[in-house]
Amino acid sequence: MSGPEKITLYHDHISYYSQRASLALAEKGIDYDSKIVPIANLAFVDPWFVKLNPAGKIPIIVHGDRVVAETPRILEYLDQAFPNTNRLHPDDSDVRKRVIYFRDLADSITSNDMMAGCVRYPHLVTESPNFPPGRMEKIIKVGNEDVPNKAAMLAKEHPELRTVYEQLIENRKKNRWDSPSEGDFKDTLSRADRLMSEVEDELKKTKHRYPDGESYRCGKDVSAADIFLIILMHRMKQYGMAKLFWTNGQRPNVSAYYEWMLSRETCAKVLPTFDFQPSK
């Protein structure tokens, strides 16, 4: 489906957050133009992109004269701009509250914390993460050194964007990509475990509410909560965490939910094999 003005999605297929936006558009059946912003080339720091999003982050969507960043806001905007498509945040107030609750809970567990932790402390996960030796250190270097260095260079070349780049550099300093301590990673795993327990309980309730159909987490249709959760679980599996949380037989509803979501055509298109190649 397309509106009077077509959406343009600026993203990268391997980007954790970009996959949320791509899956939302697919689930809503919205036609859009795809503009790849290669992470490996640090294209999100280039002048043309920071003019669109001064924060230098993907994904963003552009719809007419509107630029929307941050995936919770993007999904909410898609519901507002395309009201005749599948509602990712249902109108029913009780269901909507549950959707937002689980969406935000999944959002609180960041991909970077999981990625850094599973590589630094592999004894805390049950399977080998999909990362060759040294990859984590390269990724950290990209975030902590390469991005600020490129921003500083571009600030000199484009004085009209100096303030934007100075703010981008300052934000990077405040949000360094450092490996968590073992205690912090254990806390991340503990929060993820609590999330999966709540998801298991919610799936049981949903199956009771809708016994005649496929059960999604918070209702009868795919929602923002489902999108955030399946992207999170997909990364968890790549990081060697599946046996910790759902393939160990302790959460059969979560396990069945994961396999069913991955079998959907929308997920098959959006979730590629993870292969991050940082710039040298």
Side-chain angles (χ1 to χ4, degrees):
M1 175 177 292
S2 61
E5 294 178 289
K6 200 172 183 181
I7 277 182
T8 301
L9 172 66
Y10 292 82
H11 66 124
D12 190 326
H13 297 300
I14 66 171
S15 160
Y16 176 77
Y17 296 101
S18 292
Q19 288 170 7
R20 291 177 178 176
S22 297
L23 185 54
L25 287 162
E27 289 291 349
K28 291 179 78 67
I30 297 172
D31 188 25
Y32 65 94
D33 288 327
S34 172
K35 300 291 185 183
I36 301 300
V37 184
I39 291 177
N41 297 338
L42 307 185
F44 52 87
V45 189
D46 288 345
W48 70 268
F49 185 75
V50 299
K51 289 177 182 178
L52 289 172
N53 184 17
K57 295 180 180 180
I58 54 172
I60 62 170
I61 60 171
V62 176
H63 190 211
D65 60 357
R66 293 287 302 273
V67 177
V68 186
E70 305 296 339
T71 48
R73 290 182 56 225
I74 288 173
L75 269 61
E76 290 171 357
Y77 177 80
L78 293 177
D79 275 347
Q80 295 167 9
F82 298 86
N84 295 324
T85 59
N86 172 38
R87 304 285 293 177
L88 301 177
H89 303 84
D91 293 326
D92 182 283
S93 60
D94 290 337
V95 178
R96 184 181 180 86
K97 286 178 183 178
R98 292 200 303 274
V99 166
I100 293 175
Y101 172 77
F102 281 106
R103 180 200 72 183
D104 292 348
L105 206 57
D107 194 35
S108 71
I109 301 172
T110 71
S111 177
N112 285 341
D113 285 346
M114 290 190 300
M115 175 175 61
C118 73
V119 174
R120 190 71 69 192
Y121 311 108
H123 60 284
L124 295 179
V125 296
T126 53
E127 301 170 272
S128 299
N130 185 22
F131 279 91
R135 179 71 61 84
M136 185 66 242
E137 287 74 13
K138 290 181 180 179
I139 293 173
I140 290 176
K141 178 179 178 293
V142 168
N144 291 345
E145 299 179 24
D146 295 355
V147 171
N149 288 344
K150 182 173 180 177
M153 179 190 70
L154 290 171
K156 295 178 181 178
E157 296 177 358
H158 301 271
E160 75 281 6
L161 295 172
R162 186 184 65 183
T163 301
V164 171
Y165 281 121
E166 287 176 348
Q167 186 61 56
L168 193 154
I169 293 169
E170 184 63 25
N171 289 340
R172 284 286 173 173
K173 289 180 180 178
K174 292 179 180 178
N175 299 283
R176 286 177 57 83
W177 290 1
D178 290 325
S179 295
S181 68
E182 185 169 342
D184 287 341
F185 184 50
K186 286 181 177 179
D187 178 69
T188 296
L189 294 178
S190 178
R191 289 187 293 112
D193 190 66
R194 290 195 298 271
L195 166 63
M196 292 302 160
S197 291
E198 290 197 47
V199 170
E200 179 72 13
D201 291 342
E202 180 66 21
L203 285 169
K204 291 176 184 177
K205 296 175 185 176
T206 307
K207 287 175 70 175
H208 178 72
R209 295 188 197 106
Y210 308 104
D212 297 329
E214 297 288 356
S215 61
Y216 306 89
R217 266 204 308 156
C218 299
K220 204 169 183 178
D221 299 307
V222 170
S223 70
D226 296 295
I227 289 169
F228 275 54
L229 180 66
I230 194 60
I231 301 298
L232 173 64
M233 293 178 70
H234 185 63
R235 284 300 171 104
M236 283 179 166
K237 185 173 178 63
Q238 291 167 333
Y239 297 160
M241 298 178 181
K243 285 185 180 179
L244 284 177
F245 300 125
W246 71 86
T247 62
N248 54 11
Q250 296 179 8
R251 297 183 177 111
N253 289 294
V254 172
S255 182
Y257 167 84
Y258 176 74
E259 295 301 329
W260 188 85
M261 283 294 292
L262 282 190
S263 73
R264 292 174 61 81
E265 182 180 356
T266 49
C267 286
K269 289 180 178 179
V270 169
L271 296 175
T273 301
F274 186 78
D275 187 22
F276 184 86
Q277 296 290 341
S279 60
K280 297 178 181 180

